[in-house]
Amino acid sequence: MPSQRQAEPRRATLRDVAERAGVSTSTASLVFSGKGPVAAATADRVRAAAADLGFTGPDPLASSLRQGRVGTVAVIVEGPLRHAFRDPFALAVLDGLAEELDLAGRTMLLVAQPVEHPEQAVAQLATQAVDAAVFPLCGTATNPLVEHLATRGVVMVGSGAPLSPEVGHVLTDERAGQRLAGQHLLDLGHRRLGHVSMMLRPAVATGPVTRADVEHADYPDAAGRARGFLDIAPEGSPMVQVGELTVGAGEEAGRLLLDVPVARRPTAVVCQADVLAAGVVRAAASLGLRVPDEVSVTGFDGVDLPWLGTTLTTVLQPGVAKGHALGAMVRRRLEGEGPVDEPFAVSLRVGTSTAPPPG
Amino acid sequence: MPSQRQAEPRRATLRDVAERAGVSTSTASLVFSGKGPVAAATADRVRAAAADLGFTGPDPLASSLRQGRVGTVAVIVEGPLRHAFRDPFALAVLDGLAEELDLAGRTMLLVAQPVEHPEQAVAQLATQAVDAAVFPLCGTATNPLVEHLATRGVVMVGSGAPLSPEVGHVLTDERAGQRLAGQHLLDLGHRRLGHVSMMLRPAVATGPVTRADVEHADYPDAAGRARGFLDIAPEGSPMVQVGELTVGAGEEAGRLLLDVPVARRPTAVVCQADVLAAGVVRAAASLGLRVPDEVSVTGFDGVDLPWLGTTLTTVLQPGVAKGHALGAMVRRRLEGEGPVDEPFAVSLRVGTSTAPPPG
DNA sequence: CGATTCGATCGAATCGATTCGATCCGCGCT
DNA sequence: AGCGCGGATCGAATCGATTCGATCGAATCG
C-alpha cells in the first residue's frame, strides 16, 4: 500500500487563530462566542485569521466538555426503525420533536433499541454524551436504559413509558380515549363489539387475547386502551392483539374477528390504531362486508391514510403536537424543572367508517 | 421559588474513583478501557470504588476529546422527517444504515435539513461533533453542508448526491435501471408510454414536464431515471413530475396521464418509485381502468405495499442492503479509504402490474 | 549470580476549548 | 490633579479523561 507521507496538516485550533491574529486565546474565544466585549477591529482581525487558517469554529467536543452542555438529545426507539416508523403516527411525533428541539438548538441522536436485547442499548449510549433522552413512542413499562441514564444524571422524558419516577411524561389518557370510540359505537346501537389491540408484550404473534392478558401487559399504552374497551364492551367481546403495528397485521386480526358465522360476528370493531383499523377495513372488504353498512370500524391517532377510501372514525391524537409537547418538556427539564406528568388531550373524530348496525 | 440548596452532589470522576481505590488515574483508566495490563486485584478494587461512587464509566466527552473519535455519524435528511420517511424505501435504507453503524459502535445523529433554507443545517451541525456524515437519500446536487463538513475534515458518504469529489457514493445506475422497466414494457408490445417522475427540483407542484426540465433538474436520481425513460420512450411521450413522494401525489399524476381521450392515453406508465406507481394504480382504478389489462404500471424500489392488491413490476433496489452498503462505506472511509464511488446493483422484478397492451 | 525482560503502576503532558479574576488604559467627573 | 469606572485584553485554572515514557520489583535466562 502507498505509505501516505503527507504529514497530516493538523487542523487549526483556536490557539493558532489567536496567535496569528496577535491576541490571546481568551480573546479569540470571546469573538466566536460573542460573550464578552471585544473591539470591532480586534474581532475582525481574529475572523480574518480564522478564515486564512480554515478554522470553522471552536471544536464542539472541547467546547462541550468545558461548558458541560452537549446539545444532543437521545431519541430511543424500540425495535428496528423500519418497524417503528412504519406507523405514520410515530413519524409525526418524531417530526414534531425534531422541530421543537431544533428551536432549542439541539439535535437528535437516534438510538434503535433491540427488542430482544434491550440492554445492548446501554452499552451504545454509555459512550455517547447526551443532555437528555426521550422515549417518544410508548414502549415497555420498564427499560434497562432508565437506571443507566438516571445514574448519569441524564434528564428523561417519555410518552407513557418507561414507568419511573425519574421520567417525565406527556400523557395521553389512553383508557378514556378508547372509551370515547367504544361509547360512540354503543350510542349508534351496536351491541356486538370486537377489539384489535396493539402488542400487549414484546414479540407476540397475532391472535386472540383475554382480560388476563391485558392485566399482565408490558406495554402501558396498549393495556390502557384495552381497558378502555373493556370498560364499555359487553362481557365476552372478542379481542385480538397484533404482532406488529402494520396494516397487514391489522388485516389478519380483522379476519380473525370477522370471518365467523354471522350470528357471532361483531357489528363493530374498535382498533387501537389507525393502521390497524385500515387493515380491518381491508379484511372486511375481502370478506365482502361493506364498511360502514355491515361493519363499523374505529381507529386511534387520526393519521392520514390517503389510499384508504374511507375517513376513519378515530380518536384524534395530533402526533406533531405531541412531539412538540415532548420537546417542550425536554427543554423545561433541562432548565431545572422536575419530572412531572403533563396530560395530552385527545378527542373523537367521527368519520365515514362508522354507522348504526345493520338490521 | 424554592431556592434549591442541595449543593449539587457533583458527579464522580475517574480521579475520584482512582483516589478511593488507592491507584493513579492512569491505572483506573486502564481498568475501564482494558487497554493495558492491570492486576486482577487492582482492577477489582477500582471497580468496587466505581460502584460505591456511582461512577458509570468515563465521561464520553472527555474521552472523545482525547481520543479524537466521537462515535457519531450525522445522517442528513432533506425536508421534514414525516415527508422523507413516508417512503418505505427511505425507511429501509435508514434501517440498514443503523444496523451497520451499530456494528461499528456508532450512533446516528439525525439532522433534518429544511428544504427552503438548507444553510440552516450548517449552523446546527457546527456545534456537533461527528466522525462522518451520510446523505442516505438522494437529495439536491449541491448542498451547503458539503463545504462546511469538508473544511472540518468530516468524512462524507452519499447515495448519488450531493455531487462533490469529497463525497463517496453508493451509486445506483438510475438510468439503466429505469431503462430496464421501460424495455420490459416495449417487449410486451407497448408503444404509448407515460412517465411519472419524482421531484426534479425542490418545491415543485405536480404537473407535466419536458425533456428540458430533465436537463436542468436539481435531483440527480430523478433526472437519471427520467433519462432512462427517455432513452427508450417514443418521442413525445407524456411526462409528469410529482410535488412529493407520496401515494396521493402519484394518484394525482396518474390521473393527469390517464384521464385523457383513449387514443392519446398511454397503455403503460413508468413510475420512478413504487409509492408513485401505487398512486397510479389507484388513479387507474378510480377511472375504471383495470391493471394490468388496460394499463400496465411499473415502479422502482421494490418496497412492500401490502395494502395494494397488486404486486408491482418494479426495478428492485433492496433498501436495507443499500443502507448496509452506505454504512460499510462510512466505516471504510473512517479507516482511511478515499472517496470512491461504488456501484449498487438493481434488477427488474416482474409482478402482476404489467401485461401486453389491450387489443 | 548478574543481566534481561516483563508486568504493573505512576507522573506528567495533552486534547481544545471556556471562564474567572487581574491588569491596563483612557475617559469623565469634581 | 486625583479618583473612579468601565471597556478591552490577558494569564492561568479548569473540564475529565487518555497515553507516553519512566520506574520498580520480580521472574527468567544463560
Side-chain angles (χ1 to χ4, degrees):
Chain A
M1 88 195 76
S3 85
Q4 191 169 324
R5 271 277 54 93
Q6 317 187 42
E8 265 296 335
R10 197 179 67 80
R11 212 150 295 287
T13 72
L14 188 59
R15 172 157 41 192
D16 301 330
V17 173
E19 208 163 304
R20 186 168 229 268
V23 301
S24 72
T25 64
S26 11
T27 305
S29 175
L30 294 181
V31 171
F32 287 100
S33 66
K35 287 190 181 165
V38 176
T42 313
D44 285 343
R45 267 199 347 266
V46 171
R47 273 187 287 265
D52 288 354
L53 270 52
F55 178 82
T56 331
D59 181 319
L61 274 177
S63 170
S64 299
L65 174 59
R66 185 66 238 260
Q67 297 188 116
R69 193 255 203 203
V70 199
T72 300
V73 174
V75 175
I76 319 293
V77 174
E78 298 190 49
L81 304 176
R82 66 175 168 280
H83 288 176
F85 294 149
R86 179 125 70 193
D87 181 2
F89 179 72
L91 273 184
V93 173
L94 188 74
D95 212 5
L97 181 57
E99 285 174 8
E100 191 71 24
L101 292 180
D102 255 28
L103 254 46
R106 301 181 186 276
T107 311
M108 302 196 309
L109 194 73
L110 201 53
V111 177
Q113 184 173 32
V115 175
E116 307 285 342
H117 299 285
E119 70 285 355
Q120 286 179 2
V122 174
Q124 187 178 168
L125 219 45
T127 65
Q128 291 292 149
V130 297
D131 288 334
V134 181
F135 300 82
L137 312 172
C138 183
T140 50
T142 65
N143 192 320
L145 278 174
V146 171
E147 196 198 331
H148 169 79
L149 293 171
T151 67
R152 273 178 66 180
V154 172
V155 157
M156 289 177 281
V157 165
S159 68
L163 306 174
S164 159
E166 324 249 19
V167 182
H169 288 283
V170 172
L171 264 189
T172 299
D173 187 340
E174 316 282 1
R175 186 170 188 165
Q178 193 65 92
R179 222 157 34 206
L180 244 42
Q183 190 59 50
H184 165 71
L185 293 169
L186 292 185
D187 292 349
L188 284 172
H190 291 272
R191 289 300 172 265
R192 288 204 310 280
L193 304 182
H195 188 50
V196 177
S197 172
M198 303 188 287
M199 296 79 85
L200 289 168
R201 44 183 56 249
V204 293
T206 302
V209 287
T210 65
R211 200 173 210 113
D213 293 317
V214 173
E215 294 314 319
H216 301 111
D218 220 1
Y219 287 112
D221 57 344
R225 293 182 197 178
R227 292 205 179 89
F229 174 76
L230 288 168
D231 284 346
I232 55 87
E235 190 68 30
S237 299
M239 302 198 293
V240 171
Q241 84 177 320
V242 293
E244 54 173 40
L245 204 50
T246 61
V247 177
E251 185 167 355
E252 197 183 339
R255 218 177 321 257
L256 249 40
L257 287 174
L258 296 176
D259 194 5
V260 298
V262 62
R264 287 201 282 122
R265 187 207 301 149
T267 59
V269 179
V270 175
C271 302
Q272 287 190 6
D274 286 350
V275 286
L276 300 180
V280 172
V281 168
R282 286 187 50 80
S286 77
L287 293 170
L289 298 171
R290 278 166 301 140
V291 173
D293 312 293
E294 295 170 274
V295 193
S296 286
V297 180
T298 67
F300 204 115
D301 292 339
V303 300
D304 202 29
L305 298 175
W307 47 266
L308 187 74
T310 334
T311 302
L312 289 171
T313 294
T314 196
V315 182
L316 203 60
Q317 179 185 212
V320 175
K322 194 165 188 178
H324 283 157
L326 284 166
M329 180 174 281
V330 167
R331 176 151 30 100
R332 293 199 312 269
R333 289 214 55 188
L334 285 174
E335 284 165 359
E337 185 181 296
V340 296
D341 286 358
E342 168 190 303
F344 187 76
V346 298
S347 57
L348 186 73
R349 180 191 72 192
V350 177
T352 58
S353 68
T354 50
Chain B
M1 82 193 83
S3 83
Q4 194 169 322
R5 271 275 56 90
Q6 318 188 41
E8 266 296 335
R10 196 178 68 81
R11 214 150 293 287
T13 74
L14 187 59
R15 169 153 48 188
D16 301 330
V17 173
E19 206 163 306
R20 184 168 231 267
V23 300
S24 70
T25 64
S26 12
T27 307
S29 175
L30 294 181
V31 172
F32 287 100
S33 67
K35 285 189 183 167
V38 176
T42 313
D44 285 344
R45 262 193 0 259
V46 170
R47 272 187 286 266
D52 289 355
L53 271 54
F55 178 82
T56 331
D59 180 319
L61 274 178
S63 171
S64 299
L65 173 59
R66 185 67 239 261
Q67 296 188 116
R69 192 255 204 203
V70 200
T72 301
V73 174
V75 176
I76 319 293
V77 174
E78 298 189 50
L81 304 175
R82 67 174 169 279
H83 288 175
F85 293 148
R86 178 124 70 192
D87 181 3
F89 178 72
L91 272 184
V93 173
L94 187 74
D95 211 7
L97 181 59
E99 285 175 9
E100 192 71 23
L101 292 179
D102 254 30
L103 252 46
R106 301 184 185 274
T107 311
M108 302 195 309
L109 195 73
L110 200 53
V111 177
Q113 183 173 31
V115 175
E116 307 285 342
H117 298 286
E119 71 285 356
Q120 287 179 0
V122 174
Q124 187 178 169
L125 259 183
T127 64
Q128 291 291 148
V130 297
D131 289 333
V134 181
F135 300 81
L137 314 172
C138 184
T140 49
T142 65
N143 192 319
L145 278 174
V146 171
E147 196 200 330
H148 169 79
L149 293 170
T151 65
R152 272 177 66 178
V154 172
V155 156
M156 288 178 282
V157 166
S159 67
L163 307 175
S164 159
E166 324 249 19
V167 182
H169 287 284
V170 172
L171 263 190
T172 298
D173 188 340
E174 316 282 0
R175 186 169 188 166
Q178 192 64 92
R179 220 154 39 203
L180 245 41
Q183 191 58 51
H184 163 72
L185 292 169
L186 292 185
D187 292 349
L188 284 171
H190 290 273
R191 289 301 172 265
R192 288 206 309 281
L193 304 182
H195 188 50
V196 177
S197 171
M198 303 187 288
M199 296 79 84
L200 289 168
R201 44 182 58 249
V204 294
T206 302
V209 286
T210 66
R211 201 174 211 111
D213 294 317
V214 174
E215 295 315 318
H216 301 111
D218 219 1
Y219 288 113
D221 57 343
R225 294 182 196 176
R227 292 206 179 87
F229 173 77
L230 288 169
D231 284 345
I232 55 87
E235 190 66 31
S237 299
M239 302 198 294
V240 170
Q241 83 177 322
V242 294
E244 55 173 36
L245 206 49
T246 61
V247 176
E251 186 167 352
E252 198 183 340
R255 219 179 318 257
L256 249 40
L257 287 174
L258 296 176
D259 195 5
V260 299
V262 63
R264 285 199 284 122
R265 188 206 301 148
T267 60
V269 179
V270 175
C271 303
Q272 287 191 6
D274 286 351
V275 286
L276 300 180
V280 172
V281 169
R282 286 185 50 81
S286 78
L287 292 171
L289 298 169
R290 276 166 305 140
V291 174
D293 311 295
E294 295 171 272
V295 191
S296 286
V297 180
T298 68
F300 205 116
D301 292 339
V303 301
D304 201 29
L305 298 174
W307 47 264
L308 188 73
T310 335
T311 302
L312 289 171
T313 294
T314 195
V315 183
L316 204 58
Q317 177 186 214
V320 175
K322 194 162 190 181
H324 284 157
L326 285 165
M329 180 173 282
V330 167
R331 177 151 30 102
R332 293 198 312 269
R333 290 215 53 188
L334 286 174
E335 284 165 0
E337 185 181 297
V340 297
D341 286 357
E342 169 191 303
F344 187 76
V346 298
S347 58
L348 186 72
R349 181 192 71 192
V350 177
T352 58
S353 68
T354 49

